[in-house]
Amino acid sequence: MDLKKMIDQVVEFIGSNKDIKAQFEKEPVKVLEKVLGIDLPDNVIEPIIDGVKAKLTVDAIGDVADALKGLFGKK
């Protein structure tokens, strides 16, 4: 299993749908199984959940940084 590929797939799907993102925050296992279409053991699903959360956080920080640059006239 390619965990990075799975994480990227889930992040892309969640990023395109705010309702799914909210559901992921409440029920990450259920969302992962829905997006990936497979039932994974806990020892595999936990690192994917952690990776998705980390990537979403990094993306959000990048969005904030871009917005701040716009406030100061930098692009």
Side-chain angles (χ1 to χ4, degrees):
M1 284 183 217
D2 185 355
L3 294 181
K4 183 182 181 326
K5 184 177 177 181
M6 289 181 182
I7 291 168
D8 290 342
Q9 179 182 352
V10 172
V11 169
E12 182 178 329
F13 186 82
I14 289 173
S16 66
N17 188 324
K18 292 186 186 289
D19 293 334
I20 296 294
K21 185 175 182 182
Q23 185 181 2
F24 175 78
E25 292 171 5
K26 295 176 188 171
E27 303 173 299
V29 173
K30 186 175 180 179
V31 171
L32 284 179
E33 289 176 348
K34 178 181 176 182
V35 172
L36 298 174
I38 53 176
D39 185 18
L40 297 168
D42 288 347
N43 66 330
V44 174
I45 207 156
E46 289 301 324
I48 295 173
I49 291 170
D50 293 342
V52 170
K53 287 180 179 179
K55 191 156 178 104
L56 290 173
T57 300
V58 168
D59 290 349
I61 291 170
D63 292 344
V64 170
D66 289 343
L68 290 174
K69 286 178 187 175
L71 289 175
F72 297 107
K74 297 180 180 179
K75 294 202 179 209

